[in-house]
Amino acid sequence: MRLIKYFLTIFTSLIVFTNVSLAEKWDMALAYGAGNFHSANAAEFAKNVTEKSGGKLTIVTHPGGSLYKGGEIFRAVRTGQAPIGERFMSALGKEDPLLEIDSQPFLATSYTDAMRLYKASKDEIAKSLDSKGLVFLYAVPWPAQGLYSKKEINTLDDLKGLKFRAYNSATIRIAELTGMAPTKIEAAEISQAFSTGAVESMITSPTTGKNKKIWENGVKYFYDIAAWFPKNMIIANKDAWNKLDKATQDLVRKEAALAERKGWQLSKQGNVADKKALAEAGMVVGKVNSILQKHFESVGATMAKEWSAKAGSRGAAVLSAYK
Ligand code: PCA
């Protein structure tokens, strides 16, 4: 009996001292609703890791901001309150301007270019996240961003003073340079913001408009500007990561790569299907006219200069790798 106790004590202290735990449970914070393709994809990633890790790592997803709201997830993962989570990258420009490279208008306007831009920026982004105690796992784009409006928009004057829902610094800047009145609002509050009249326009994907049934809030027009493909990223807390053994870390990396590939496919499908869904719901789906198109392009050119000044030599290096 004594001997057993002795070995048990040694065993327990070994576990404690080497910081290796046999079974970890990770709560995964997701900002978007369970029906969203990003959340569904993350749920599949979590399920695959859980099933294949042989009991060493269980990942439980919490969609719809039920664990932490979108705006809280980065900090929660960084501080270890949540071991893993998903965040909209370009809302984090203040952490690192490279995180908002994917929301610079007209820099990457197709999935092919969005992927090239991602590849050119990924290592530098992962490095800067690492310095903040985070492990970058994968990133998936939203479908192409378009302009939603309650009113028809034909002229620059139609944009003036429009109450505009923004989701990051780039969309705030677009609004400022256009004369719209921006308010930053997380996706979870979109329906309320439109129904109360707090906003009357926004730029986001056909997917988000469809998921929110935005037409039920009096939004009639969708203009497919397709000027950028912003991404969500999945990040883990480095201390939590270091508690996993090598085999489990390898498994998570492998499943992350698969989820990334799947996510890009789902996004492409949504880019077509969700626009169709908006039209089927009675919305007017089309393009902006050439005057407005030129206006947005000139706004994009201004923003490109501003971003380059912020992002410095790191930004320049990524841009030259991309171009
Ligand atoms: N949907 C999210 C981010 C980009 C998108 O397409 C949102 O509107 O907040």
Side-chain angles (χ1 to χ4, degrees):
M1 193 59 196
R2 254 211 203 147
L3 209 61
I4 294 180
K5 252 195 190 156
Y6 175 74
F7 279 117
L8 261 181
T9 315
I10 287 186
F11 185 64
T12 323
S13 42
L14 259 181
I15 288 177
V16 171
F17 283 119
T18 54
N19 211 12
V20 167
S21 162
L22 294 178
E24 295 291 335
K25 176 175 174 261
W26 281 7
D27 286 306
M28 183 172 191
L30 305 172
Y32 305 96
N36 186 281
F37 79 93
H38 286 287
S39 304
N41 194 40
E44 197 172 319
F45 159 77
K47 180 171 155 272
N48 288 338
V49 170
T50 302
E51 281 175 7
K52 294 177 191 172
S53 77
K56 285 201 222 153
L57 177 60
T58 302
I59 304 182
V60 181
T61 52
H62 300 268
S66 54
L67 191 60
Y68 290 99
K69 295 213 172 78
E72 303 166 346
I73 291 176
F74 185 77
R75 190 191 44 81
V77 179
R78 193 175 175 179
T79 56
Q81 286 167 296
I84 186 169
E86 177 186 53
R87 180 57 175 149
F88 187 51
M89 294 169 78
S90 57
L92 297 165
K94 290 206 176 81
E95 295 286 339
D96 180 355
L98 281 182
L99 285 165
E100 55 182 5
I101 195 169
D102 65 14
S103 288
Q104 298 311 307
F106 303 104
L107 182 58
T109 58
S110 67
Y111 276 100
T112 309
D113 284 351
M115 177 52 95
R116 286 201 308 112
L117 184 61
Y118 174 43
K119 284 189 174 151
S121 56
K122 184 178 166 178
D123 289 351
E124 194 56 37
I125 285 173
K127 208 164 90 189
S128 96
L129 290 170
D130 178 78
S131 74
K132 294 176 197 289
L134 292 161
V135 178
F136 175 87
L137 290 176
Y138 70 85
V140 170
W142 291 88
Q145 306 290 293
L147 174 65
Y148 287 83
S149 174
K150 290 188 178 181
K151 291 186 313 192
E152 192 170 353
I153 297 171
N154 291 314
T155 66
L156 287 178
D157 266 356
D158 291 336
L159 292 168
K160 294 267 166 334
L162 215 56
K163 286 182 276 175
F164 177 83
R165 177 256 168 176
Y167 57 48
N168 61 10
S169 308
T171 47
I172 289 175
R173 192 66 188 127
I174 291 175
E176 285 170 356
L177 292 168
T178 301
M180 297 189 277
T183 312
K184 195 168 167 204
I185 295 168
E186 287 292 327
E189 273 92 50
I190 288 177
S191 301
Q192 199 195 352
F194 276 91
S195 69
T196 58
V199 297
E200 52 198 336
S201 63
M202 66 176 165
I203 295 181
T204 187
S205 56
T207 309
T208 292
K210 184 202 84 175
N211 288 352
K212 299 286 166 189
K213 297 199 170 71
I214 201 67
W215 53 88
E216 291 182 356
N217 295 123
V219 180
K220 184 117 178 62
Y221 299 91
F222 178 77
Y223 299 96
D224 189 14
I225 309 177
W228 67 96
F229 292 80
K231 297 185 294 297
N232 286 354
M233 66 178 174
I234 304 289
I235 44 175
N237 176 278
K238 216 200 277 184
D239 293 335
W241 176 258
N242 288 336
K243 286 191 187 138
L244 305 177
D245 63 20
K246 173 80 168 51
T248 310
Q249 287 179 346
D250 289 347
L251 171 70
V252 173
R253 288 257 182 234
K254 186 171 157 234
E255 291 302 325
L258 290 174
E260 181 168 283
R261 198 174 331 138
K262 180 83 187 291
W264 281 72
Q265 279 166 9
L266 291 171
S267 181
K268 277 181 206 168
Q269 286 162 14
N271 196 38
V272 177
D274 297 342
K275 247 178 283 181
K276 233 172 106 197
L278 297 181
E280 277 163 13
M283 288 182 64
V284 181
V285 175
K287 301 265 178 201
V288 288
N289 63 32
S290 61
I291 296 168
L292 288 162
Q293 178 70 23
K294 285 216 181 74
H295 168 72
F296 283 119
E297 283 170 11
S298 80
V299 164
T302 304
M303 288 175 61
K305 283 194 205 116
E306 291 173 352
W307 183 83
S308 291
K310 262 197 295 185
S313 59
R314 289 168 68 237
V318 168
L319 283 182
S320 83
Y322 169 62
K323 285 170 178 163

